């Protein structure tokens, strides 16, 4: 019932910025963790960032700290990922995902099963 739709990807040069959006429909997000993941060709999917939709607490992968910012707009039922100072190694398909705020993983948003996934949006960063 939960549907996630990403947008905002594209082709940019190193040092440029993008803002990715994830519009969520079908359910209230107050008890959910919303995450961004990415997967480059031939690599495993990796965690990028996440936000506890209710509390606003956030988590970032070390590779993006200081460059990317995750946020949400409750009125628009949308989660954003602002990508600044982009590097070629940021090239990947970016997915938004959602999971319950399971108490077992509470406060560690890089962990736990994300049950709902969007289709992904391609981000390509050229040198």
């Amino acid at each position: 019932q939960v549907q996630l739709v990403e947008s905002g990807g594209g082709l940019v040069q190193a040092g440029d910025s993008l803002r990715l959006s994830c519009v969520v429909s079908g359910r209230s997000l107050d008890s959910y963790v919303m995450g961004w993941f990415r997967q480059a060709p031939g690599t495993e999917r990796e965690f990028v960032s996440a936000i506890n939709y209710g509390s606003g607490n956030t988590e970032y992968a070390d590779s993006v700290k200081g460059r990317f910012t995750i946020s949400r707009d409750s009125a628009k039922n949308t989660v954003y990922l602002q990508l600044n100072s982009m590097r070629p190694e940021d090239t990947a398909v970016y997915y938004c995902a959602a999971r319950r705020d399971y108490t077992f993983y509470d406060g560690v948003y890089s962990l736990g099963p994300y049950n709902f996934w969007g289709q992904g949006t391609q981000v390509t960063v050229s040198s």
Side-chain angles (χ1 to χ4, degrees):
Q1 187 173 357
V2 175
Q3 294 183 326
L4 313 176
V5 180
E6 306 99 330
S7 63
L11 174 63
V12 299
Q13 294 192 339
D16 286 352
S17 298
L18 282 174
R19 189 182 72 166
L20 307 182
S21 300
C22 177
V23 179
V24 184
S25 63
R27 189 176 301 182
S28 171
L29 300 177
D30 289 346
S31 63
Y32 279 77
V33 175
M34 298 297 303
W36 285 97
F37 296 78
R38 66 187 183 186
Q39 186 169 18
T43 70
E44 298 292 327
R45 183 182 63 205
E46 66 174 342
F47 171 82
V48 176
S49 184
I51 184 169
N52 184 308
Y53 205 87
S55 70
N57 291 338
T58 60
E59 183 177 340
Y60 297 91
D62 289 341
S63 61
V64 306
K65 286 181 179 177
R67 299 190 298 121
F68 294 3
T69 303
I70 190 170
S71 62
R72 88 288 203 198
D73 186 334
S74 297
K76 297 181 179 180
N77 222 31
T78 301
V79 177
Y80 302 98
L81 185 68
Q82 180 70 40
L83 296 76
N84 296 328
S85 302
M86 300 191 71
R87 307 165 179 171
E89 53 263 41
D90 295 322
T91 296
V93 177
Y94 283 71
Y95 300 90
C96 69
R99 69 161 173 85
R100 288 278 192 174
D101 183 19
Y102 302 111
T103 57
F104 184 84
Y105 305 105
D106 191 33
V108 185
Y109 303 139
S110 59
L111 302 178
Y114 282 79
N115 309 106
F116 305 98
W117 295 83
Q119 294 298 308
T121 184
Q122 177 70 51
V123 172
T124 303
V125 185
S126 62
S127 300

